[in-house]
Amino acid sequence: MLNNYDINRTVLSPIIALVLMLCLLSGCNSEQTNPDHIVDENTHGYYFDVYTAESKDQPRNSIMEMSSFDDELFFEIQNSAQERQFAVKVLVDYEQVQFIVDGIERNTYLLDAEANITKICGFRLAEPLDTAYNHTLTVILIAGSDILTNKTDFEMSDHYSLSYNYLLQFGDSIPIFQSGQLPAETELVTEYQSEGLLFNTDTENRSRVIPDRELIAMPGDTIHLQYQVGGYEGVNDVVIVASLGLEQGDINGKPYLYCFTEKGALVRGTASITAPMETGEYEFMAWVLPNPFSPEENEFIMLD
């Protein structure tokens, strides 16, 4: 199911700049091609897919049947005429995990993509899973991952991310893993209705205004933000995950926020995040996952 939501991208800029160097190691299969999924209807200019050897090019129902936690999976990136950097992140049960590409454990896979290229990478989860449960797998592609919002004038939107949410199924009758995290305290928004996810700094009036592109903070500072989420038809609960740079950041001291949005309601609350201890510029990105414990309802979703 494809949903169009708004993305909220803000930069946290501690006082002293520090350049962080990441090494890009190649070794996946690449082809210089005219990508076959880049069609007129695809306004992004890139394409993303996640599959197993058995499910490639087959109809899917958001389920990946697994015999072991380290079964090989694949992601495929197709890029059109524009050179750009991509980043791939993997979450299990809505927490970022390490995964193995080319024999190397990674938190994030980076690709500096040439024009008209298709790249297919095999990957495996690095850490065992409790196979007494089925688990959620979320794989996120970020386009332009080397571009900071405060250095551009592009519109804040979901144009820069494509994502898949799957159920890793180790058995038909096995329950899905849930952490037991309690839902966040929120209030119902009644003065207007909207759809999507929004963060801003208006924690007092809780208005729906577009945030500034930059926040200034000292290393280790706690930053308080208002969030509004919901308005999705047929969605009763959501999970919100966030990252600072390309690493998942805690929200209110937890890996993610879990919110009730009963009958598509729009709700709001306060989110506290902690600025990294190392000085530098960090892109703040947040994604919302509708029906988080029913991934079969949203295999392919564009995330906020």
Side-chain angles (χ1 to χ4, degrees):
M1 179 178 68
L2 178 63
N3 298 294
N4 293 308
Y5 307 147
D6 294 328
I7 193 169
N8 178 44
R9 294 166 62 119
T10 306
V11 176
L12 298 177
S13 301
I15 303 303
I16 302 173
L18 175 68
V19 178
L20 302 179
M21 302 297 293
L22 295 177
C23 296
L24 176 64
L25 300 176
S26 61
C28 301
N29 296 327
S30 298
E31 299 177 5
Q32 199 75 22
T33 64
N34 183 20
D36 57 359
H37 287 281
I38 306 298
V39 296
D40 290 342
E41 291 79 9
N42 183 343
T43 58
H44 292 75
Y46 57 89
Y47 166 86
F48 187 50
D49 199 2
V50 181
Y51 47 79
T52 64
E54 293 75 20
S55 66
K56 179 176 171 59
D57 299 326
Q58 299 297 318
R60 302 176 206 160
N61 57 356
S62 302
I63 294 175
M64 285 188 173
E65 296 183 356
M66 306 283 287
S67 59
S68 173
F69 80 93
D70 59 353
D71 287 350
E72 188 170 30
L73 309 171
F74 298 88
F75 62 79
E76 178 177 342
I77 302 170
Q78 294 187 8
N79 186 43
S80 62
Q82 176 183 336
E83 295 182 358
R84 67 188 105 205
Q85 185 184 88
F86 293 100
V88 177
K89 297 158 56 77
V90 175
L91 288 75
V92 172
D93 301 323
Y94 307 116
E95 296 190 36
Q96 186 172 351
V97 298
Q98 290 195 319
F99 57 102
I100 301 171
V101 178
D102 301 328
I104 300 171
E105 289 191 15
R106 311 166 188 266
N107 289 325
T108 304
Y109 179 81
L110 295 178
L111 170 64
D112 290 314
E114 301 173 2
N116 300 320
I117 194 171
T118 297
K119 195 170 189 76
I120 301 174
C121 289
F123 72 99
R124 303 174 189 270
L125 300 178
E127 297 294 333
L129 298 177
D130 183 355
T131 56
Y133 296 91
N134 294 325
H135 298 265
T136 58
L137 173 75
T138 308
V139 187
I140 299 173
L141 176 75
I142 301 168
S145 51
D146 56 339
I147 300 173
L148 295 176
T149 301
N150 65 340
K151 301 295 193 296
T152 70
D153 59 0
F154 57 65
E155 182 182 358
M156 298 182 189
S157 78
D158 65 358
H159 193 79
Y160 314 105
S161 178
L162 295 173
S163 311
Y164 282 87
N165 202 32
Y166 281 106
L167 181 70
L168 297 181
Q169 187 176 79
F170 295 94
D172 290 337
S173 58
I174 295 177
I176 188 171
F177 176 85
Q178 298 189 43
S179 67
Q181 181 170 315
L182 297 176
E185 293 185 9
T186 59
E187 66 178 26
L188 184 65
V189 178
T190 58
E191 57 268 36
Y192 48 79
Q193 184 65 19
S194 185
E195 177 185 288
L197 172 66
L198 173 76
F199 279 90
N200 63 33
T201 57
D202 187 8
T203 56
E204 293 186 6
N205 297 320
R206 299 194 170 189
S207 60
R208 192 170 181 86
V209 296
I210 300 299
D212 294 335
R213 292 179 178 268
E214 184 174 276
L215 293 173
I216 306 299
M218 294 296 293
D221 276 359
T222 298
I223 302 163
H224 301 290
L225 301 172
Q226 181 217 183
Y227 66 89
Q228 296 188 11
V229 66
Y232 311 130
E233 184 177 355
V235 173
N236 290 319
D237 57 347
V238 301
V239 155
I240 301 171
V241 296
S243 69
L244 289 169
L246 292 174
E247 299 299 320
Q248 185 172 10
D250 284 356
I251 309 175
N252 294 346
K254 300 176 181 178
Y256 58 84
L257 279 180
Y258 177 49
C259 301
F260 285 149
T261 57
E262 187 175 357
K263 297 180 180 179
L266 181 69
V267 300
R268 58 191 169 201
T270 300
S272 298
I273 61 175
T274 302
M277 291 304 298
E278 292 192 31
T279 55
E281 292 187 321
Y282 296 83
E283 188 85 345
F284 173 67
M285 292 174 281
W287 294 265
V288 56
L289 293 110
N291 303 314
F293 302 109
S294 301
E296 67 277 4
E297 297 184 24
N298 46 333
E299 172 190 3
F300 175 55
I301 52 179
M302 297 175 63
L303 305 179
D304 292 338

